[in-house]
Each structure stands twice: as structure tokens, then as C-alpha cells.
Amino acid sequence: MGNNKPLVSIALCTFNGEKYIAEQLVSILNQDYSNLEIVIIDDKSNDNTVNILKSFSDKNQNIKLVLNETNIGFNNNFRKALDLCSAEYIAIADQDDVWVENKITRLMENIGDNLLIYHDSAYINNLGEPTNKSTLSHHRFVKGNCAKNLLYYNCVSGHTCLIKKELLTLTAGFPTHFYYDWWLAYTAACRSKITFIIDKLVLHRKHEESSTGKDKTDAKTTRIAHLKLFYNHQETPNNLKNFIQLLLDGYKELDRNHFSSKLFKTLLLNFNSLFYVRKRSLFSICNLILRESKSK
């Protein structure tokens, strides 16, 4: 497979990733899809990451290395990397994973006319040992017209994504306090242009130092903020916007009352879609609906 295949850009952002970045870069360079451009942006690392990156870029002409003069943060750095990618197709990489050698090939074979395709990932620990779990162990995947499924929970991780650059034109930027991959997935879902394959194409390292490992947020105030972002998204269709407003009205009722019957009814009637993505028991879902419907 050579340059007769479409160019694929890989957006890789780094920050203090000296522990695992070399292993990740080797797995990317060993992809069986050879027509690759690798765009790496380091967000002002203060460990040995930059030296490792320079050693790889010096030996590989398809690596474009950019070093930020100041730390601009996770979301802004990924947006910068994505915008610097020159190919129509862009894959996203985390600094501490390991890619299966046919990852790009499988995604390119299956993206079709979608704006975004994603896949399952096998989890490994900080030592690189398998945990015998994957994303599908605790999430259900969605595709097509599935924006409603993504209002409360996300099943699309950036490191699993291949997108068409066209998707970036549908959103001016990434919200500051929101995951960029969730935002991209929701945007594609609003156009019914999202799909998945169940291949495990990445060994995804789960550890406390990762950005997702640090996140423990599941607060009601955060969910309300997310709903407002979705409501104001330029791609949200009117029927979904009306539904989001119904949810927000229910939460607003909690400013006046201890219990919101409006929110309780809305969540109960729509639990199959709103809570489909996160695998949990019916008992757990009922408890969640009750907690959401109470002011405290």
C-alpha cells in the first residue's frame, strides 16, 4: 500500500509524555497504511518528551513537529493539531497508547460517506499488561442519527476516531470545559454521519496520569452545562433542541422546588435513549433519575 491511497493525517498532542511516547510513535510508524502525515504538537512539556520527539522527527520526513511556546491546554492543543493536518482524513492519537498495525487500514475501509468512524479499544495498565476489558465492556456504541444518545454520556474516544476534515468546518472550536471528542461525535451524529466497527485497534492505557483518568466529574451542574452547549450547537436539529429545552426546563424547576416532576417524567419516558450508551443496571438508572429530579 503506497501513495496511490489517500493521505491520512495523524494528529498527536503531547505533554510530559516521556514514559510512553516512543512506544506509541513506533506503533504509528509501523502502520501497514503507509501514506501518512504525522502532525505532533507538544504543549510545552518540561520532561524529556521534546527530545524524544525530535529524535523521531529527525529520522522520519513525514513527521511535522510543532513546539508550543506556552501551554495552551488539552482542547486548544488538539484543535490546533487538527487544523494543521493537511489531509482530508484525520486520525487522532493519544501519547500513551499503542496502535494495532492495521488500525488506519480498517478505518479507511469502513468510513464510507460518514464524517466520523470509531472503534473498540483493549485496555492495558501502566505496565502495558492487558486488563481483559475494553470500551465495549462498559459502553454501547451508537451510529447514524444518534445525537440524542450522546446528550448524557459519550462512547466515542478521540484515540479511536478517524474523521473527515469537513467535520471541523461544522464547529468553530471546542468548548473550553468539554471533551473535544464528545463534541466531534455529537456534531457528526447531528448530521447522521457517524459509524463504528467493533475491532480492537488500540491498546489504550488506563492510568491516573492520563487526562481521562484524572476526570471524576459526574455532577448535575456539569450535565446542565453540557445540555446548554448542545442546545446552542449550530448543528443541533430543531426537534432535538426542543427536547433539550424540555430537559433544561425540568432542571430549572429545581430552583423553586425540591422535586421536579417535569424532569422526572422526561427522564423516565426517555431513559432508553438518554442512558443507552453507559451500561448500567435498571436499578442504577432508576436511582440516577431520582437523584437528577431532586434539588439535593
Side-chain angles (χ1 to χ4, degrees):
M1 187 174 294
N3 292 341
N4 61 319
K5 296 293 182 179
L7 178 67
V8 175
S9 295
I10 296 172
L12 170 60
C13 292
T14 60
F15 177 70
N16 290 350
E18 64 179 2
K19 286 185 181 179
Y20 309 112
I21 188 60
E23 185 178 12
Q24 169 67 309
L25 281 172
V26 168
S27 73
I28 291 173
L29 291 167
N30 284 340
Q31 288 293 296
D32 63 12
Y33 192 103
S34 59
N35 196 14
L36 299 175
E37 168 194 68
I38 305 170
V39 177
I40 307 174
I41 303 186
D42 183 78
D43 202 20
K44 198 65 176 177
S45 291
N46 53 34
D47 62 359
N48 197 43
T49 300
V50 171
N51 289 331
I52 297 171
L53 295 176
K54 286 180 177 178
S55 70
F56 275 88
S57 63
D58 288 344
K59 299 173 185 175
N60 296 275
Q61 294 184 346
N62 61 335
I63 292 179
K64 292 172 25 179
L65 177 60
V66 178
L67 306 177
N68 289 342
E69 294 183 1
T70 60
N71 183 283
I72 62 175
F74 185 75
N75 269 13
N76 289 333
N77 205 33
F78 261 108
R79 182 69 197 211
K80 181 177 179 180
L82 292 169
D83 287 339
L84 286 175
C85 290
S86 61
E88 177 188 355
Y89 298 94
I90 304 172
I92 300 171
D94 284 349
Q95 66 180 3
D96 46 9
D97 293 337
V98 180
W99 282 16
V100 176
E101 66 177 8
N102 66 338
K103 171 184 163 77
I104 297 298
T105 296
R106 291 291 294 139
L107 292 175
M108 287 292 288
E109 287 172 346
N110 288 278
I111 191 169
D113 64 352
N114 291 284
L115 293 172
L116 185 152
I117 184 172
Y118 62 106
H119 60 75
D120 194 14
S121 292
Y123 293 166
I124 57 176
N125 61 23
N126 62 318
L127 299 176
E129 301 165 338
T131 67
N132 299 318
K133 292 184 179 181
S134 73
T135 309
L136 280 173
S137 298
H138 51 90
H139 285 85
R140 298 181 183 91
F141 287 173
V142 292
K143 63 181 179 179
N145 182 18
C146 60
K148 187 176 179 181
N149 298 124
L150 296 173
L151 290 178
Y152 274 68
Y153 295 107
N154 179 40
C155 58
V156 182
S157 298
H159 72 272
T160 70
C161 292
L162 176 74
I163 68 170
K164 291 183 180 175
K165 199 163 191 179
E166 177 188 349
L167 181 59
L168 300 178
T169 68
L170 302 180
T171 171
F174 301 143
T176 302
H177 301 293
F178 198 82
Y179 290 116
Y180 78 90
D181 44 15
W182 195 348
W183 195 246
L184 287 173
Y186 177 81
T187 304
C190 285
R191 288 287 183 103
S192 300
K193 294 288 187 178
I194 180 173
T195 192
F196 65 85
I197 54 177
I198 61 171
D199 306 43
K200 296 180 178 67
L201 298 176
V202 166
L203 304 181
H204 181 53
R205 208 177 302 267
K206 301 290 284 185
H207 56 95
E208 289 300 316
E209 295 173 13
S210 67
S211 58
T212 52
K214 294 176 182 177
D215 180 70
K216 306 298 182 185
T217 304
D218 196 29
K220 187 183 303 183
T221 53
T222 301
R223 284 193 282 275
I224 294 171
H226 289 175
L227 288 171
K228 290 178 179 178
L229 288 171
F230 291 138
Y231 180 87
N232 290 312
H233 194 301
Q234 65 186 31
E235 292 297 318
T236 299
N238 287 333
N239 62 333
L240 184 57
K241 185 169 287 193
N242 292 337
F243 177 73
I244 295 171
Q245 186 61 63
L246 189 64
L247 289 168
L248 290 172
D249 289 345
Y251 283 110
K252 188 67 176 175
E253 195 174 61
L254 293 176
D255 293 340
R256 307 181 301 272
N257 304 317
H258 173 66
F259 184 82
S260 172
S261 57
K262 179 184 292 186
L263 181 60
F264 179 80
K265 182 179 179 181
T266 303
L267 294 176
L268 191 62
L269 291 176
N270 294 275
F271 80 91
N272 277 327
S273 54
L274 293 177
F275 307 125
Y276 174 78
V277 162
R278 180 75 63 86
K279 290 182 179 179
R280 57 200 313 166
S281 68
L282 182 59
F283 178 77
S284 177
I285 292 173
C286 290
N287 276 337
L288 173 61
I289 292 174
L290 282 172
R291 288 197 307 272
E292 290 295 296
S293 304
K294 294 179 180 178
S295 59
K296 291 184 180 179

